[in-house]
Amino acid sequence: MAHPEAEDRKPQSDEARSAFTQPIGVVSQAPAAEDESQTTSEFAIPDGLAAPPAATQEPEGSAFSTPDTYSVRHSIPTFTPPSGIPMVRLTKEAPWQDRMRTMLRMPVAERPAPEPVQKHDDESGPAVPRVLDLTLRIGELLLAGGEGAEDVEAAMFAVCRSYGLDRCEPTVTFTQLSITHQPSLVDDPVTASRIVRRRGTDYTRLAAVFRLVDDISDPDTEISLEEAYRRLAEIRRNRHPYPGWALTAAGGLLAGAASILVGGGFIVFVAAAVGAMLGDRLAWLCAGRGLPEFYQFVVAAMPPAAMGIALTLAHVPVAASAVVTGGLFALLPGRALVAGVQDGLTGYYITASARLLEVLYLFVGIVTGVLVVLYFGVKFGAKLNPDVALLTVERPVWQIAASMLLSLAFAVLLQQERSTVLLVTLNGGVAWVVYGALHYAGGLSPVASTAVAAGLVGLFGQLLSRYRFASALPYVTAAIGPLLPGSATYFGLLAIAQNNVDKGMVSLTKAAALAMAIAIGVNLGSEISRLFLRVPGATAEGRRAAKRTRGF
């Protein structure tokens, strides 16, 4: 008889060793009948497992969990303000210069989406390279005409947005223009550039370019790319409004009027006019020979100084210093100085440095030409007295008339439109009246008087330009002519020629201070005019300014 334990040790059958048989000691449970239509999820919890407790908070160390040390009261300021980012609404009634300048001073991500002004039959719009080329050609004419870097960028930005190109970034330096367009975050950017190799003063052409940009930005005016190219070609082909002999005569009138301002008479007027016209013709001759502009200024400064030395050697009882001072007025680079300081005040430091360096070179050319003549004049025994600069000559009626004549001649030299000549002449007379009232009657310093007068010139010029939707340069540059530091420059050079370097440097420093007062006053007047006028995008925080640095 077999033992029961021996039976348990007998080998099991194949069925007993099956992987699907339940192990010994496990009680089988009949599965619940399931409905065939019941759907089961692979994420369902299996039978026999309890559901995990609900997690009220993610464990410490998770990237999404709030640290234990977090406190709302001591939290850092958020990037987005609690009130949200104010929406910029561009009022179409405002000039395009203000609208584009507002967007240029904004980050790219905050700029409103463009509303294409110029419609096209093709839904895809114009070719991007053609729009960029047109933009660069317009910017080239503006920069070559002496326009400020910020205004050039505003015009380029207006053209691109009018033809539907968003994400455009124009860049302006002294001699180079570039613009970049990126269609989207995944497309390659398109960049084009252009070099400005020649610069010439023609405010008539400058005004025509501004009218073209204004028409392109106008939603009620339809201008295709072909029409814009045609008008731009006409602007380039247009001749100057004044012939060469008129420019030479205007230079003579400018020098004669400037000599009246510093106390000259009829003989001084004629001598200064003749010297300035001779210098202008010699400069044109040098330009035709291909000499750089520096040497042109050296040659142009010699005839007025020679006329003053000749009158002194001939013992003519006139103020020879007024002759030389009048000739210097026609050569001082007031336009480039104002543009350079304006670029610096608006944050375009590279362009401002290049413009001011150009002014320095031209001024050194004038100094060289005058010093050469004065040196030989002193060697020949010419009795030149720099102390006459301390004498004050007050002739209000003659000086006001001379200041207006000077502004008129300056406007002709700048090739301005005939419709703007009268306005800029009146603006120049106002500048001298304010300067004379503050300096002669009020006893204010020349630098402060010049700054206030230049500020009024900039204010009136900006208002006139906004009224006509044009550039402010034609209404400002010629009007500051009576304020240019011609006499301080001459007496500084005379003192240096007589080996009185300390006194000469003091006088030249005064001339530099007067020049800076003119430039800063003009820019401040323009900014003041914008403060009291409606500007698009203005919020409770005020008008946005160009932020480059805070000094640290």
Side-chain angles (χ1 to χ4, degrees):
M1 181 176 179
H3 196 273
E5 294 180 0
E7 294 182 358
D8 294 340
R9 290 193 296 268
K10 291 181 180 180
Q12 301 291 331
S13 61
D14 293 340
E15 181 180 358
R17 290 194 301 268
S18 175
F20 298 97
T21 59
Q22 289 188 349
I24 301 173
V26 177
V27 180
S28 62
Q29 296 179 356
E34 296 181 356
D35 189 4
E36 296 181 355
S37 62
Q38 181 180 0
T39 58
T40 59
S41 173
E42 60 181 350
F43 300 102
I45 300 176
D47 296 334
L49 293 180
T56 58
Q57 186 177 2
E58 295 186 6
E60 181 71 21
S62 173
F64 302 98
S65 62
T66 303
D68 295 335
T69 58
Y70 175 78
S71 174
V72 178
R73 181 179 301 177
H74 302 289
S75 62
I76 61 175
T78 56
F79 177 78
T80 304
S83 59
I85 299 176
M87 181 182 297
V88 178
R89 294 181 176 88
L90 301 176
T91 57
K92 296 182 179 180
E93 294 79 8
W96 62 266
Q97 296 98 319
D98 286 344
R99 290 187 280 121
M100 296 302 110
R101 189 182 291 109
T102 300
M103 283 190 290
L104 282 175
R105 293 179 177 181
M106 295 170 55
V108 179
E110 297 181 13
R111 293 174 183 171
E115 298 179 2
V117 175
Q118 303 299 329
K119 309 299 181 183
H120 304 277
D121 297 334
D122 188 5
E123 295 182 357
S124 61
V128 173
R130 294 197 66 194
V131 176
L132 297 184
D133 179 70
L134 175 66
T135 302
L136 290 174
R137 290 176 183 271
I138 290 176
E140 178 189 10
L141 288 180
L142 293 177
L143 187 62
E147 193 62 68
E150 187 178 30
D151 292 328
V152 176
E153 284 193 0
M156 297 172 64
F157 197 67
V159 174
C160 286
R161 288 182 66 90
S162 298
Y163 286 104
L165 298 189
D166 193 12
R167 297 178 178 271
C168 286
E169 285 295 335
T171 304
V172 176
T173 58
F174 185 52
T175 58
Q176 184 177 8
L177 300 166
S178 64
I179 186 167
T180 301
H181 168 63
Q182 188 172 8
S184 65
L185 296 177
V186 297
D187 294 331
D188 295 332
V190 180
T191 303
S193 61
R194 198 173 186 89
I195 302 297
V196 180
R197 303 191 181 277
R198 293 191 62 184
R199 295 187 304 274
T201 305
D202 189 344
Y203 282 178
T204 300
R205 179 180 296 175
L206 189 69
V209 177
F210 262 79
R211 283 194 294 270
L212 174 59
V213 177
D214 183 55
D215 291 341
I216 293 176
S217 305
D218 187 6
D220 299 328
T221 305
E222 181 68 23
I223 297 181
S224 62
L225 277 175
E226 290 71 16
E227 177 68 16
Y229 269 108
R230 185 189 63 80
R231 289 182 56 177
L232 197 61
E234 290 180 355
I235 293 173
R236 287 180 174 274
R237 287 196 300 264
N238 282 346
R239 298 176 59 86
H240 298 306
Y242 306 103
W245 63 267
L247 298 180
T248 302
L253 289 176
L254 190 153
S259 66
I260 298 296
L261 286 178
V262 293
F266 177 75
I267 299 178
V268 172
F269 179 90
V270 174
V274 172
M277 288 188 289
L278 288 176
D280 180 75
R281 288 294 91 191
L282 288 177
W284 277 105
L285 181 62
C286 294
R289 298 291 181 179
L291 286 179
E293 198 171 14
F294 174 84
Y295 300 105
Q296 298 176 27
F297 273 77
V298 172
V299 174
M302 289 183 176
M307 293 295 295
I309 296 296
L311 291 177
T312 303
L313 293 177
H315 301 288
V316 179
V318 295
S321 60
V323 178
V324 183
T325 300
L328 292 180
F329 263 84
L331 298 176
L332 292 177
R335 172 184 59 85
L337 176 66
V338 171
V341 174
Q342 181 180 0
D343 288 341
L345 294 177
T346 52
Y348 295 85
Y349 301 116
I350 297 178
T351 307
S353 302
R355 289 186 189 271
L356 294 178
L357 185 61
E358 180 192 34
V359 171
L360 178 61
Y361 270 102
L362 299 181
F363 190 77
V364 170
I366 297 172
V367 168
T368 303
V370 174
L371 277 181
V372 169
V373 176
L374 291 181
Y375 177 79
F376 283 103
V378 171
K379 291 298 182 181
F380 282 114
K383 301 299 182 180
L384 302 174
N385 186 14
D387 294 333
V388 295
L390 302 177
L391 301 178
T392 302
V393 181
E394 297 184 22
R395 294 180 298 176
V397 178
W398 284 99
Q399 288 177 335
I400 293 175
S403 64
M404 297 178 67
L405 179 61
L406 191 152
S407 299
L408 173 65
F410 208 166
V412 174
L413 285 175
L414 294 174
Q415 303 280 0
Q416 292 190 196
E417 292 180 308
R418 292 180 173 86
S419 60
T420 64
V421 171
L422 178 60
L423 295 176
V424 75
T425 300
L426 295 176
N427 201 9
V430 171
W432 183 260
V433 169
V434 173
Y435 172 80
L438 294 176
H439 177 55
Y440 295 122
L444 201 62
S445 65
V447 176
S449 303
T450 301
V452 175
L456 286 179
V457 168
L459 175 62
F460 293 153
Q462 187 67 30
L463 293 177
L464 290 172
S465 67
R466 291 175 65 92
Y467 175 73
R468 296 197 172 195
F469 294 93
S471 172
L473 287 181
Y475 303 98
V476 171
T477 306
I480 65 173
L483 304 176
L484 293 176
S487 58
T489 304
Y490 164 70
F491 288 111
L493 299 180
L494 178 59
I496 293 176
Q498 294 178 342
N499 292 326
N500 194 348
V501 180
D502 294 338
K503 190 173 182 179
M505 293 304 298
V506 170
S507 187
L508 290 180
T509 304
K510 178 183 177 182
L514 291 173
M516 293 297 293
I518 293 173
I520 295 176
V522 168
N523 181 266
L524 183 60
S526 300
E527 294 297 329
I528 290 176
S529 69
R530 297 192 183 103
L531 290 178
F532 294 100
L533 297 174
R534 184 176 63 176
V535 177
T539 61
E541 299 177 357
R543 184 168 68 94
R544 295 171 180 253
K547 294 182 180 180
R548 298 290 192 274
T549 178
R550 289 296 186 187
F552 50 81

